[in-house]
Amino acid sequence: MTTPPYQPGYSQPGYPQGVSDKSKLVAGVLGILLGTFGAGRFYTGHTKIAVLQLVVSLVTCGFGSLWGLIDGILILVNGGTDAQGRPLRDS
């Protein structure tokens, strides 16, 4: 068995290709400052999670904003992915 030759634009199934065009720093800061509104998750393309963050914050009269704050800190520390599963770029 031989491995197929390298082809530009070809990626293995289940493996995202490349790095996201979204910034880890921007996503983390948006999560910290505007996590109540799910801004960091909207930025990375995770709209379902962003809407859920917004709804939880509204239903809990703002206490749910802690989720956005913690989420923003975790994105800054551990990194994250965009909606296509690609890792966020560092700068």
Side-chain angles (χ1 to χ4, degrees):
M1 268 195 163
T2 62
T3 59
Y6 173 75
Q7 298 172 359
Y10 174 78
S11 65
Q12 295 289 332
Y15 293 101
Q17 181 179 356
V19 177
S20 176
D21 58 340
K22 306 292 184 186
S23 170
K24 177 172 76 168
L25 179 65
V26 173
V29 170
L30 283 173
I32 290 170
L33 298 179
L34 299 171
T36 302
F37 307 109
R41 290 299 183 161
F42 277 121
Y43 173 73
T44 59
H46 296 103
T47 53
K48 290 180 183 178
I49 296 173
V51 169
L52 191 60
Q53 282 181 331
L54 178 61
V55 169
V56 167
S57 294
L58 291 174
V59 169
T60 61
C61 299
F63 287 113
S65 64
L66 288 174
W67 179 10
L69 174 73
I70 293 168
D71 194 32
I73 293 170
L74 287 175
I75 288 174
L76 285 175
V77 173
N78 296 332
T81 60
D82 65 3
Q84 287 78 33
R86 299 175 298 185
L88 299 175
R89 64 182 168 86
D90 286 330
S91 58

